[in-house]
Amino acid sequence: MTTASNTPASMTGQQTTLAIILAVSGAHLLNDLLQFLLPALYPLLKENYQLNYLQIGLLTLGQQITACLLQPLFGLRGDLKPKPYSLAVSLVIVSVGIVGLAFANQFMWLFLAAVVMGTGSAIFHPEASRVARMASGGKLGFAQSLFQVGGNLGTALGPLAAAMILIPMGQTTTAWFLILGCAGVALLTYVGRWFVEHQRQAASRPAVAIKRPALSRNRLIVAFAVIGALLLSKFIYIEGLKTYYAFFLMEKFGLSAPDAQIYLFLFLGSVAAGTFIGGPIGDRYGRLSVIWVSILGALPFTLLMPYLDLTGTAVMSILTGLVLSSAFSAMVVYAQELVPGKVGMIAGFVFGFAFGIGALGAAAMGAIADWIGIIPVFQICAFLPALGILTILLPKTAELHPEPKEKLA
C-alpha cells in the first residue's frame, strides 16, 4: 500500500492491517450472501419441485457437510504450506455452484449445486480466519469478530434478496449474483498479494518459539468435547432457524413467503450484531465469560419464542440471535489458544464442526417436522441452549497463555 511520506510508520501499519481485516470481512459478506441464496430459495423450491421438509434439510446438509469434512483438511494444509491465492479460488468455486443453482431443474442437481457451493466455502473460511488473525495486531477477538460479522451480514442480506429478487422473479435470477462472485475474486486477489508480502517479511525475521498451554492431553480432549457440545447447541438452533423459520412463520401466522423473509432478515441481522459485539467484549472481559452468557443466556428467549404472538416471536428471535451469536468469535480464539501453532486447522475444525452439526441438525429437524409439524420442532429445540452449563468444564483462560509470543500466522 502506498502512503504519504509524512505518515507515521505505526499508523501506516495499522491502516494496512485494518484494510486487510475489512477486505476479508467484505469477502466473507459476499461468500455468505452467495451461500445463503440456497436457503433463501427454499420456499420457491419447495413449491416448484414438491420438496418435503426432509429434502429441504438434505439440501442444507449437502451444502454444509462438505464444510464439516473439508475445512479442517484445508486448514491443516494452510498451516503446513500456506496458499495465498486459495481464497480467490474459493470464490471461483462458489460462483460455479451459483450457476448450477440457477439452472438446476430437479432435486439431484440442486443437491450437487449445494455441494459445490459448500466446497468453495470450506476452502474460504479457515484461510480467511488465518488472514484476519495475521492482520489483528494482537487484537484477536476484535479481528475475528470483524471478520465474522461480514459473513453474518451477508447471510442476513439473503432473505432480502429472496423477498425482492429471487421469489418474485424466479430461480434463474440467481445467476445475476455472479457479479458479486467476481467482485469477491478481485477482492481476495488483493488479499492474496498482501498475504505473499506478509509471508516474505515473516520469513526474514527470526522464528519465535511458540508457548503452549500447560494442559494435559485428557484436559484438551475434555475441552474440545465441551466446545463441540456448545457448538452443537448453538448451531443446530441457528441453522434450524435459518432453514425453517420462514416456514414456521408461514404456518403459525399465515404470512406470505416474502413477508416471512423480512422477519428472517431481522433475526439474521441480530446474529450479525451479536457476532460483532462478542469479540471485543471477549478481549476485554475474558472469552469464557462471553461463552457463559451467550449460550446459557439465550435459553429464556428460545423457550418463550414458540408460544408468543407474531410481535413477541419477532422480538424473542432478535434477542436470541443477539445473545446466542456473541460467543462464536470467542470460541474460535479460545480454541486456537488451546493448540497454538495450528491456527488454520483449529479454525477449520471449529467452522467445519459448526457447519456440519448445524446441517445434520437441520436435516433431522426436517425429518421430524414431516412427522409432527414444524411448530412442535421449534418447541423441542428451544431447550438446546441449556447445554451452555457445560462451560463450567472448560479450562480457565489464565491456563491458556492467551497472549503467546508467536508469529500471528
Side-chain angles (χ1 to χ4, degrees):
M1 175 178 289
T2 302
T3 57
S5 59
N6 60 350
T7 302
S10 60
M11 184 178 294
T12 300
Q14 183 62 32
Q15 288 172 342
T16 302
T17 297
L18 183 58
I20 294 302
I21 298 173
L22 289 173
V24 292
S25 181
H28 200 183
L29 185 154
L30 295 175
N31 175 78
D32 284 24
L33 171 56
L34 294 175
Q35 295 292 330
F36 197 77
L37 294 180
L38 175 60
L41 279 170
Y42 283 162
L44 184 66
L45 298 176
K46 189 175 189 297
E47 180 179 350
N48 288 352
Y49 303 110
Q50 301 301 303
L51 304 181
N52 56 34
Y53 283 124
L54 176 58
Q55 288 175 306
I56 294 292
L58 289 175
L59 289 178
T60 297
L61 180 62
Q63 184 181 29
Q64 304 286 26
I65 200 66
T66 50
C68 175
L69 297 175
L70 296 179
Q71 282 196 86
L73 297 178
F74 285 126
L76 179 59
R77 185 198 67 171
D79 287 333
L80 299 175
K81 190 174 181 180
K83 302 284 187 181
Y85 292 102
S86 62
L87 283 170
V89 172
S90 71
L91 263 291
V92 172
I93 296 173
V94 171
S95 297
V96 172
I98 290 297
V99 174
L101 178 60
F103 299 105
N105 57 8
Q106 55 181 292
F107 175 77
M108 180 184 70
W109 295 114
L110 289 169
F111 185 82
L112 180 60
V115 169
V116 172
M117 293 168 65
T119 301
S121 185
I123 298 172
F124 173 82
H125 281 95
E127 285 303 301
S129 179
R130 180 201 311 282
V131 170
R133 182 180 176 90
M134 287 192 302
S136 68
K139 298 179 180 178
L140 303 179
F142 168 77
Q144 193 62 223
S145 285
L146 189 53
F147 163 64
Q148 288 294 336
V149 78
N152 292 137
L153 287 173
T155 299
L157 291 173
L160 293 184
M164 294 187 284
I165 300 174
L166 300 180
I167 293 176
M169 304 182 70
Q171 178 184 346
T172 57
T173 58
T174 307
W176 296 356
F177 289 86
L178 280 176
I179 297 171
L180 298 182
C182 292
V185 172
L187 190 60
L188 290 173
T189 300
Y190 158 71
V191 172
R193 288 197 297 267
W194 178 87
F195 197 152
V196 170
E197 177 61 20
H198 180 276
Q199 293 299 98
R200 187 189 66 79
Q201 294 180 9
S204 66
R205 295 192 294 265
V208 180
I210 297 171
K211 192 175 182 181
R212 299 184 180 279
L215 296 177
S216 67
R217 181 183 178 86
N218 287 340
R219 291 198 70 195
L220 280 175
I221 291 173
V222 170
F224 275 102
V226 171
I227 290 171
L230 297 177
L231 290 170
L232 180 150
S233 68
K234 168 183 162 57
F235 277 93
I236 288 183
Y237 192 84
I238 287 184
E239 197 63 43
L241 257 70
K242 284 168 59 178
T243 304
Y244 302 112
Y245 187 43
F247 295 113
F248 172 83
L249 296 173
M250 291 162 67
E251 181 175 324
K252 185 173 182 180
F253 301 111
L255 298 184
S256 66
D259 288 344
Q261 294 289 340
I262 298 301
Y263 283 93
L264 180 57
F265 163 73
L266 294 176
F267 164 70
L268 294 173
S270 70
V271 170
T275 300
F276 181 72
I277 293 169
I281 292 177
D283 282 340
R284 181 166 184 178
Y285 296 106
R287 311 199 203 288
L288 282 181
S289 299
V290 173
I291 295 171
W292 265 113
V293 174
S294 173
I295 307 295
L296 202 57
L299 184 61
F301 308 132
T302 61
L303 291 174
L304 283 172
M305 192 176 74
Y307 303 98
L308 301 176
D309 59 15
L310 179 58
T311 300
T313 299
V315 171
M316 287 300 108
S317 73
I318 290 170
L319 291 174
T320 297
L322 190 66
V323 175
L324 193 56
S325 62
S326 62
F328 190 55
S329 297
M331 291 172 74
V332 171
V333 176
Y334 181 87
Q336 289 173 334
E337 290 169 354
L338 286 172
V339 189
K342 299 294 182 183
V343 172
M345 185 186 74
I346 296 302
F349 163 76
V350 175
F351 283 112
F353 185 83
F355 291 177
I357 200 66
L360 289 170
M365 288 173 69
I368 297 171
D370 284 330
W371 177 35
I372 64 175
I374 196 66
I375 296 175
V377 166
F378 272 71
Q379 293 169 339
I380 295 169
C381 291
F383 290 90
L384 282 170
L387 289 175
I389 193 67
L390 295 176
T391 305
I392 197 172
L393 301 176
L394 290 175
K396 301 296 186 290
T397 305
E399 300 178 68
L400 306 182
H401 309 299
E403 298 297 336
K405 295 181 180 179
E406 60 170 305
K407 292 182 182 180
L408 295 175

